[in-house]
Amino acid sequence: MNWPIIIIIVILVLLILYLIASYNGMIGLRNTVKEAFSTMDVYLKQRWDLIPNLVETVKGYAKHEKSTLEGVVKLRNSAYDNMTPEEKIEANKSLSHGITKIMALAESYPDLKANENFRDLSNQLSKVEADIANARKYYNAVVRRFNNKVEMFPGNIVAGIFHFKAEKMFEIESSERENVKVEF
């Protein structure tokens, strides 16, 4: 028996099995990232669709807040379905900031806060925002797992061979961490 050749063959077989397992693991994680984004995207789209109704309700009460409302409407009127996932993330960051301003405006208008349509839309929006927050947590956890696999040794070698790239987390802007200031 030629032991050195058998040892080399065993090492090559183990290496090939490792490459196959790593590749399949990365494909599985990448698909999980896509699934997590798709789930979050459903909630983002629900929020996207609530915005026109919310803005129209607020318009009647806050006529002199035209610039805030126009900014949200302009952002909302972009073609959501044609956006890439990265563009959706960026658009929703801006939209979140605009929604926060609109909700802060409502505090200044007691009649608006008492409006049944506004209360209903506000409740729907609160539910969707909670769903988005949960979906964002899940998405970011899956992205973290995928990015760890892609960036850590020895997975980074397999990722490099098969052109796997780290995914972007869904993070809020630093401006969203600050309190909204509404001035009249």
Side-chain angles (χ1 to χ4, degrees):
M1 287 197 137
N2 197 346
W3 287 106
I5 292 176
I6 292 173
I7 291 172
I8 291 172
I9 290 172
V10 168
I11 290 172
L12 285 175
V13 167
L14 290 175
L15 184 60
I16 290 170
L17 289 175
Y18 172 77
L19 282 172
I20 291 170
S22 291
Y23 177 79
N24 288 341
M26 286 183 192
I27 292 292
L29 281 173
R30 184 176 64 188
N31 289 338
T32 304
V33 167
K34 288 178 182 178
E35 179 258 337
F37 185 83
S38 293
T39 300
M40 183 173 55
D41 196 35
V42 168
Y43 298 123
L44 294 173
K45 180 75 167 114
Q46 282 178 341
R47 177 173 68 176
W48 194 264
D49 292 340
L50 279 173
I51 300 305
N53 296 329
L54 186 65
V55 168
E56 285 303 315
T57 302
V58 173
K59 269 186 185 177
Y61 291 89
K63 290 182 181 11
H64 65 282
E65 292 298 330
K66 189 175 180 181
S67 64
T68 298
L69 298 173
E70 283 176 351
V72 172
V73 169
K74 182 180 176 186
L75 180 62
R76 167 52 184 84
N77 286 339
S78 22
Y80 187 84
D81 293 334
N82 296 329
M83 292 179 181
T84 66
E86 292 79 20
E87 290 170 335
K88 287 179 181 181
I89 288 172
E90 290 306 314
N92 276 288
K93 285 180 185 178
S94 299
L95 197 59
S96 291
H97 189 65
I99 290 171
T100 303
K101 284 183 177 180
I102 289 174
M103 299 313 277
L105 278 175
E107 294 298 318
S108 302
Y109 295 93
D111 291 344
L112 174 60
K113 284 176 61 175
N115 179 289
E116 186 177 330
N117 191 29
F118 179 79
R119 281 194 320 236
D120 181 49
L121 289 168
S122 181
N123 289 337
Q124 288 180 45
L125 187 60
S126 293
K127 182 186 177 322
V128 169
E129 290 294 336
D131 291 339
I132 289 170
N134 288 330
R136 182 184 290 170
K137 281 189 258 182
Y138 175 66
Y139 173 77
N140 283 341
V142 171
V143 167
R144 178 185 39 81
R145 284 182 48 218
F146 178 76
N147 289 350
N148 285 346
K149 188 99 166 167
V150 167
E151 295 172 352
M152 292 178 161
F153 182 81
N156 62 346
I157 295 170
V158 176
I161 292 170
F162 295 108
H163 306 290
F164 287 98
K165 303 280 186 230
E167 295 287 335
K168 185 177 179 183
M169 293 275 195
F170 196 151
E171 299 172 337
I172 62 170
E173 297 285 324
S174 59
S175 62
E176 290 183 56
R177 291 184 178 103
E178 300 170 8
N179 287 333
V180 177
K181 294 178 182 150
V182 178
E183 298 174 11
F184 297 101

